[in-house]
Amino acid sequence: MTYCVGMRLNAGLVFMSDTRTNAGVDNFSTTRKLFNWAVNGERSITIMTAGNLATTQAMISLLEERSVATEDRDPSILRQDTMFQVARLVGETLKEVIAYSNPNGPTANDQFSASAIVGGQIKGGKPTIFLVYPQGNFIEISEDTPFFQVGETKYGKPILVRAYDADMPFDEAVKLLLVSFDSTVKSNLSCGLPFDLLIHENDHFNGDRTIRIEENDPIYQAISTGWGDALRAAFQALPTYKV
């Protein structure tokens, strides 16, 4: 399984994904699910994937292949004029890969299904994020929906809903995401560390901040332990319901 979150703040965009792709009894494997294309001074585009691994890897490979030697490749993710066009290209590519894998058409329980979070900024446009569905269609982030999740979303969503604030700085947003991811990892074996993190600051096209957070990261460990202790303390402080 997977857990990925793309979040919009007033200061910019934050993306985080886990890396676990297999969680058998004695067989754990990881792979990158967060990918970035950037042109200094001009654009930064990030994609996070969830779903069938062969499908998502084929989609990323196609996008990367078509972005090499851009004068000879079309359509290229590096030649789209807006983030809307980027999302449409990703949707078309995902749909193409799924159709190739399943020529009889998608089904409700399609084993080749996948989805993606696509976000970033192109100079002259606003930073934004899209959620791309297996059918190739997509929706854009909004004030009412300031973050998108894909994969195993239910365990990490409550803390995001309760604590998200568009005005929070990047370090607070990362702390919030780490609590969300920690809750997911502790609830579902199919999600796991390390986590990949990318921060895009509004109108900044000279390199995004990228970090891989390992299991032994001291800040992550302090957040994980502190959140557990805080929950137990908060529970004890609540009034008892007499029955």
Side-chain angles (χ1 to χ4, degrees):
M1 199 56 176
T2 297
Y3 185 42
C4 302
V5 180
M7 177 181 292
R8 187 177 70 182
L9 306 172
N10 290 336
L13 308 174
V14 184
F15 303 90
M16 186 179 286
S17 76
D18 85 316
T19 55
R20 180 161 293 173
T21 56
N22 191 75
V25 174
D26 59 355
N27 182 20
F28 289 84
S29 59
T30 62
T31 192
R32 186 163 59 109
K33 304 172 189 176
L34 187 154
F35 307 87
N36 180 257
W37 291 258
V39 177
N40 282 345
E42 197 265 331
R43 70 179 60 206
S44 175
I45 299 166
T46 298
I47 298 177
M48 296 185 294
T49 60
N52 180 272
L53 184 59
T55 298
T56 58
Q57 288 186 341
M59 180 192 74
I60 294 298
S61 294
L62 275 176
L63 291 169
E64 289 183 336
E65 181 182 72
R66 291 166 178 172
S67 65
V68 175
T70 55
E71 67 277 5
D72 300 323
R73 301 283 187 177
D74 193 44
S76 168
I77 199 170
L78 297 178
R79 300 177 73 176
Q80 305 306 304
D81 294 328
T82 66
M83 284 303 302
F84 180 88
Q85 293 176 5
V86 170
R88 184 167 61 181
L89 174 60
V90 173
E92 290 172 351
T93 306
L94 178 57
K95 185 178 179 181
E96 174 188 347
V97 172
I98 293 175
Y100 178 82
S101 301
N102 189 3
N104 295 323
T107 63
N109 298 311
D110 195 343
Q111 61 179 324
F112 302 107
S113 182
S115 57
I117 292 175
V118 181
Q121 185 179 15
I122 297 174
K123 191 172 183 179
K126 65 179 181 178
T128 190
I129 302 174
F130 297 87
L131 176 59
V132 180
Y133 296 105
Q135 296 79 8
N137 56 336
F138 52 87
I139 58 174
E140 186 173 8
I141 212 160
S142 66
E143 290 186 6
D144 294 326
T145 308
F147 57 84
F148 285 138
Q149 302 167 279
V150 290
E152 191 57 81
T153 63
K154 56 183 176 291
Y155 303 108
K157 187 173 183 178
I159 181 61
L160 298 181
V161 172
R162 288 178 178 270
Y164 169 84
D165 184 346
D167 289 325
M168 64 172 49
F170 288 123
D171 54 357
E172 288 292 309
V174 173
K175 179 167 64 174
L176 175 61
L177 286 174
L178 284 174
V179 172
S180 177
F181 273 70
D182 185 63
S183 299
T184 303
V185 167
K186 283 181 166 53
S187 301
N188 194 310
L189 187 65
S190 65
C191 299
L193 287 101
F195 304 142
D196 286 329
L197 168 69
L198 185 145
I199 296 173
H200 171 75
E201 185 178 351
N202 291 344
D203 303 316
H204 182 80
F205 301 102
N206 296 315
D208 294 324
R209 282 176 273 176
T210 58
I211 300 171
R212 171 156 283 196
I213 300 170
E214 302 285 353
E215 187 169 4
N216 60 355
D217 184 288
I219 297 177
Y220 167 69
Q221 289 296 332
I223 289 174
S224 176
T225 301
W227 179 245
D229 293 343
L231 280 178
R232 284 187 288 272
F235 175 76
Q236 293 298 327
L238 293 172
T240 301
Y241 196 92
K242 300 296 184 180
V243 294

